[in-house]
Amino acid sequence: EKTMEFFTGYVLEKSLAVDNIFVFLMIFAAFKVEPQYQHRVLLYGVFGAIILRTIMIVIGAALVARFEWILYVFGAFLLFTGIKMMLPEKEGEDDITQSFKWISKHIPVSKGYDGEKFFTIENGKRIATPLFLVVIVIELSDVIFAVDSIPAVFAVTTDPFIVLTSNIFAILGLRAMYFLLAD
């Protein structure tokens, strides 16, 4: 039974991760990230996703253990996001574009890339490169996707270990899947 729960959670996470790949592709195209630097960004993106999702799963598991009715809230949230996806989009900026603008206002960023470095020295000051912003934007996009996918796995099982491990194994394959589909 536990094996089936893990496998179902893994397949669910893996199938929900496919849209992450296309968002990553759009982010890399928007920032004009060279292919040789995409590996490094995705490596840090995967590590960050594991940390952020672990935090979200621990909080979700604590909520489910304390308030079992929260599963209905998760289900309602999934229905809401599904309905929202079916409706036509309004013109305007998406969450990722807004996040990027906010970050670039608060963190000094160099005009160009400095190889695969996340920080560089300009005018005697240490500032971020656009590659660092790409990592942040990728992390933010993963958090947005995790808000939908983690409750979906909680619908399969309330075992936090299975939710966490199925998420981690699905995330670990994202980088390889990206390079498979990106070409």
Side-chain angles (χ1 to χ4, degrees):
E1 183 181 328
K2 294 294 182 185
T3 303
M4 203 60 192
E5 288 176 1
F6 171 82
F7 184 69
T8 304
Y10 172 78
V11 170
L12 182 62
E13 275 297 329
K14 199 65 153 176
S15 62
L16 291 172
V18 172
D19 56 352
N20 291 34
I21 303 236
F22 295 106
V23 170
F24 295 166
L25 194 59
M26 290 186 330
I27 291 169
F28 287 145
F31 282 94
K32 297 177 181 74
V33 178
E34 297 291 324
Q36 66 263 29
Y37 305 137
Q38 293 175 4
H39 291 276
R40 184 160 193 233
V41 170
L42 288 175
L43 178 67
Y44 282 92
V46 166
F47 286 142
I50 289 171
I51 292 166
L52 292 172
R53 285 183 181 226
T54 299
I55 293 167
M56 293 173 76
I57 290 168
V58 167
I59 292 169
L63 287 172
V64 168
R66 179 97 166 115
F67 311 105
E68 194 169 309
W69 53 266
I70 200 89
L71 289 172
Y72 296 110
V73 174
F74 288 165
F77 179 75
L78 290 174
L79 284 173
F80 170 75
T81 56
I83 292 168
K84 188 177 171 185
M85 287 173 55
M86 292 188 326
L87 299 175
E89 290 186 30
K90 297 176 186 173
E91 289 296 318
E93 295 179 336
D94 59 1
D95 294 337
I96 295 171
T97 306
Q98 290 174 348
S99 301
F100 170 73
K101 286 183 177 182
W102 186 86
I103 292 165
S104 57
K105 284 181 184 177
H106 293 84
I107 298 175
V109 181
S110 67
K111 299 286 185 221
Y113 292 95
D114 187 9
E116 64 177 20
K117 294 179 183 176
F118 293 131
F119 295 94
T120 190
I121 305 292
E122 242 180 47
N123 299 325
K125 287 186 167 184
R126 185 175 183 185
I127 61 173
T129 65
L131 203 59
F132 180 72
L133 292 183
V134 173
V135 172
I136 292 174
V137 170
I138 290 221
E139 293 299 343
L140 289 173
S141 69
D142 182 68
V143 168
I144 292 167
F145 287 119
V147 167
D148 286 347
S149 67
I150 291 173
V153 179
F154 269 113
V156 172
T157 180
T158 55
D159 185 339
F161 180 74
I162 293 175
V163 175
L164 179 63
T165 54
S166 64
N167 254 273
I168 288 175
F169 278 94
I171 290 169
L172 287 174
L174 264 182
R175 194 169 161 229
M177 193 187 318
Y178 171 80
F179 291 108
L180 176 72
L181 295 176
D183 291 336

